[in-house]
Amino acid sequence: MRIPPLIAPSLLSADFMRLAEELDFLKNAGADAVHVDVMDGRFTPNITIGLPVVEALRRETRLVIDCHLMIAEPLKYAVDFVKAGADWVSVHQEADMHLHRTVTAIKNAGAKVGVALNPSTPIEVLTDILDDLDFVLLMSVNPGFSGQAFIERTLDKARRLDALRQERGASFFIQVDGGINSANAQSLINAGADCLVAGNAIFKAPNPTDALREIKARMVG
Ligand code: DX5
Ligand code: ZN
């Protein structure tokens, strides 16, 4: 059973001087979640947002806060992100040698838990953790920056993950993140994606509300 398609705009492309207004815009334009890209300069070649910002967002919004932890040793911080107000937390398989421990800790802290895969990481690495997950995040760019080009092969990866989900009768949802816009949203939904993350295509558009609605309008199977 698939959930209705969700859009989770990435705050990384927002105006950081005006986050409260950006949250209002997202709510009014029909976003389902706000995607927060946390980077540590170790797992990713960039440093972005941390715990105090997530706490501030939580005070300001009732939208689902989706924290994508692109950090080394995620177990050190994952539960703190839940305590700061994250509703969903995803960690990278490549960054964690004890993924089951981290996934269990996030779940026990009360958030939905996801595992993210880099473009080069095969879905098979999830075989023995899949049943514990609420979602899988397929990266369609290499983690680090917004505004990169969509890696087309992700479509096939989503199809294979969707097939695996059906085969196992599993209920995790599939999130895809990176280079998403109104031109590729529909093919992603058709390939089995349930939740699309988009940064530049929304926040850098001449009219962000129209851009978000346009992507959402394409998110039908
Ligand atoms: C990349 C991040 C993405 C990205 C999305 O490392 O995880 O969430 O910022 O931005 P766009 O849609 O601009 O690729
Ligand atoms: Zn992300």
Side-chain angles (χ1 to χ4, degrees), residues 10 12 35-39 68 70 137 139 175 177-178 197:
S10 162
L12 193 54
H35 183 85
V36 180
D37 287 304
V38 178
M39 305 189 196
H68 176 194
M70 288 165 278
L137 192 176
M139 289 299 297
Q175 185 177 53
D177 178 11
V197 175

Side-chain angles (χ1 to χ4, degrees), residues 13-117:
S13 303
D15 180 348
F16 284 12
M17 286 299 288
R18 301 171 46 252
L19 285 181
E21 290 160 55
E22 299 285 44
L23 289 171
D24 276 347
F25 145 64
L26 291 178
K27 187 180 78 165
N28 296 332
D32 299 293
V34 51
H35 183 85
V36 180
D37 287 304
V38 178
M39 305 189 196
D40 65 349
R42 290 177 64 205
F43 179 69
T44 29
N46 195 4
I47 298 177
T48 57
I49 297 168
L51 286 162
V53 175
V54 175
E55 280 166 9
L57 295 171
R58 183 72 295 163
R59 286 197 297 273
E60 192 69 26
T61 187
R62 294 172 74 172
L63 278 170
V64 168
I65 297 181
D66 168 28
C67 285
H68 176 194
L69 304 188
M70 288 165 278
I71 62 174
E73 301 179 79
L75 181 59
K76 273 192 182 171
Y77 303 101
V79 168
D80 289 338
F81 277 91
V82 182
K83 288 185 186 151
D87 300 290
W88 304 350
V89 175
S90 58
V91 298
H92 270 262
Q93 185 272 338
E94 304 85 357
D96 199 342
M97 291 201 288
H98 304 288
L99 199 53
H100 181 268
R101 182 175 288 146
T102 308
V103 162
T104 306
I106 295 169
K107 254 193 188 168
N108 289 345
K112 282 198 193 303
V113 62
V115 170
L117 299 181

Side-chain angles (χ1 to χ4, degrees), residues 150-207:
F150 179 78
I151 297 173
E152 290 290 333
R153 197 176 299 131
T154 317
L155 286 166
D156 180 56
K157 203 169 177 181
R159 267 180 225 115
R160 285 184 285 116
L161 184 57
D162 182 38
L164 186 63
R165 168 168 65 179
Q166 289 180 39
E167 197 180 294
R168 291 171 67 140
S171 59
F172 60 86
F173 68 88
I174 301 174
Q175 185 177 53
V176 183
D177 178 11
I180 294 175
N181 51 43
S182 58
N184 54 25
Q186 184 163 30
S187 35
L188 279 162
I189 298 297
N190 285 333
D194 306 289
C195 178
L196 303 185
V197 175
N200 261 33
I202 293 172
F203 287 100
K204 304 294 185 204
N207 184 330

